[in-house]
Amino acid sequence: MRYADDAVDVHWDPSRALPGSDPTRRDLFLSLGAFVETCLIVAASAGLPVRADIAVDLAARRVARLVPASSLYDTPFTVASVQQRRCARGGYAPGRLDPATLAALTSLGADLRQLPTRGLVAPLAEADRWMFGTPAVVSELRSWLRLSPKHPRYRLDGLTDRAMALSRFEATGLAAMIAPIAYPVTSRLGGPALLAAASKSMLRYDGSVLILVGRAVSPESVVEHGRALVRVWLALSDRGLTVHPLSQLLDCPITAAALAAKLGLSPGESPLAVFRTGRPLEAPIRSARIPASPT
Ligand SMILES: Cc1cc2nc3c(=O)[nH]c(=O)nc-3n(C[C@H](O)[C@H](O)[C@H](O)COP(=O)(O)O)c2cc1C
């Protein structure tokens, strides 16, 4: 964020982007859109009339400018919705999303398709094998996973073993497999297949996976889809539901193409975000946040 007298510019830090796993910057722009939407909701909750001008400047690494508006941002969400939103990566209670909820989510400006969890067991295993078998992705995983409370940045940022609902045993095993010294060997000895097998049970229940579909014609359009994505996540959260993004299904070219075919998408449309949703069996642990530092 860069603060001026009459605007707040939203930039991204290239050192925190993931060019290996997100080469098209789909998740980068979706996440920035989610952030901009969240800023507007929080401003409206605080009684501040603010709007967002979305204009992506790749050279300046800026996505939007938050500027004064003539009225409060019109949103059904509040700062309480934002605080309550959670990702939950552990077990979920069985149960599909009901049609009324799906219709309510769609009315938030999101084109959503629903698939049963079991239908994605094999594609997720394939995407995980691809993820753990791709050195550039594993190198990024190493930099943002926090697999032990002893990690120096455990309470600062990244994805912790607890946020991923891993047991100590699972976290230690994952850390050992992707460690720089072991990886060249484990990746050849079937480590990726082993890690993929570990996540197989994750979708073996009667639940819902939602896919956000859209046209990614420009960086701005992806930012707008990110705004819709977080509105969907907040609406689910307001109903006591959590989400678990499964972006590897879109990062892996084979499973991304298979998913698009399965959904029967029109030319120009693509799946932009994939996540399971439902009632988590255990209260999820939130990821750490770097304390804000205005520049
Ligand atoms: C576009 C997008 C893609 C994401 N993909 C994944 C993913 O593939 N796997 C995952 O575990 N979390 C994924 N996340 C969730 C983020 O890791 C998580 O929301 C972030 O760390 C903030 O943590 P919190 O949700 O616990 O507050 C994604 C989030 C966004 C916005």
Side-chain angles (χ1 to χ4, degrees):
M1 304 280 261
R2 295 202 183 142
Y3 295 86
D5 286 344
D6 56 352
V8 180
D9 287 350
V10 180
H11 290 254
W12 72 89
D13 177 351
S15 72
R16 306 186 71 80
L18 301 170
S21 37
D22 187 28
T24 63
R25 304 198 212 191
R26 179 202 69 230
D27 280 352
L28 176 71
F29 290 130
L30 285 175
S31 302
L32 287 160
F35 177 72
V36 166
E37 183 74 12
T38 305
C39 288
L40 294 179
I41 293 166
V42 171
S45 252
L48 297 171
V50 173
R51 67 181 164 81
D53 290 341
I54 308 292
V56 177
D57 182 333
L58 295 174
R61 299 191 190 96
R62 190 182 63 224
V63 280
R65 179 162 275 190
L66 304 175
V67 293
S70 52
S71 57
L72 285 183
Y73 181 56
D74 186 13
T75 173
F77 305 111
T78 64
V79 74
S81 324
V82 171
Q83 280 167 339
Q84 188 187 294
R85 182 198 62 75
R86 291 284 182 278
C87 284
R89 300 176 180 87
Y92 277 78
R96 302 258 181 102
L97 213 58
D98 61 90
T101 302
L102 194 58
L105 300 178
T106 306
S107 75
L108 296 166
D111 181 355
L112 293 167
R113 315 291 165 92
Q114 184 173 201
L115 289 176
T117 39
R118 285 182 202 280
L120 290 171
V121 170
L124 187 66
E126 172 150 25
D128 279 346
R129 260 197 317 275
W130 171 86
M131 178 168 74
F132 292 119
T134 308
V137 177
V138 170
S139 150
E140 288 175 353
L141 278 176
R142 250 182 237 132
S143 72
W144 59 265
L145 291 184
R146 310 279 178 259
L147 294 169
S148 158
K150 292 194 186 123
H151 192 291
R153 297 182 71 86
Y154 194 80
R155 281 162 202 86
L156 205 53
D157 62 3
L159 198 51
T160 64
D161 51 345
R162 294 177 72 215
M164 285 192 291
L166 297 180
S167 67
R168 193 88 296 278
F169 177 75
E170 290 167 327
T172 311
L174 176 56
M177 288 237 209
I178 65 170
I181 297 176
Y183 182 72
V185 180
T186 55
S187 62
R188 263 181 278 124
L189 291 183
L194 208 65
L195 291 171
S199 67
K200 261 190 166 170
S201 60
M202 186 191 281
L203 297 179
R204 284 214 175 106
Y205 67 100
D206 184 27
S208 287
V209 171
L210 293 182
I211 299 105
L212 174 72
V213 169
R215 290 174 193 275
V217 287
S218 61
E220 285 81 3
S221 67
V222 183
V223 172
E224 291 295 350
H225 288 304
R227 295 178 63 180
L229 178 66
V230 88
R231 288 195 292 268
V232 167
W233 287 2
L234 292 170
L236 288 164
S237 169
D238 282 354
R239 290 163 173 80
L241 305 171
T242 60
V243 300
H244 177 189
L246 302 166
S247 306
Q248 63 271 47
L249 283 165
L250 303 182
D251 301 334
C252 166
I254 294 174
T255 53
L259 189 61
K262 196 178 182 108
L263 295 171
L265 301 185
S266 318
E269 283 183 333
S270 52
L272 298 171
V274 183
F275 53 94
R276 63 184 173 130
T277 186
R279 283 183 202 284
L281 296 177
E282 277 167 34
I285 308 286
R286 205 167 199 212
S287 297
R289 297 291 195 277
I290 296 184
S293 61
T295 55

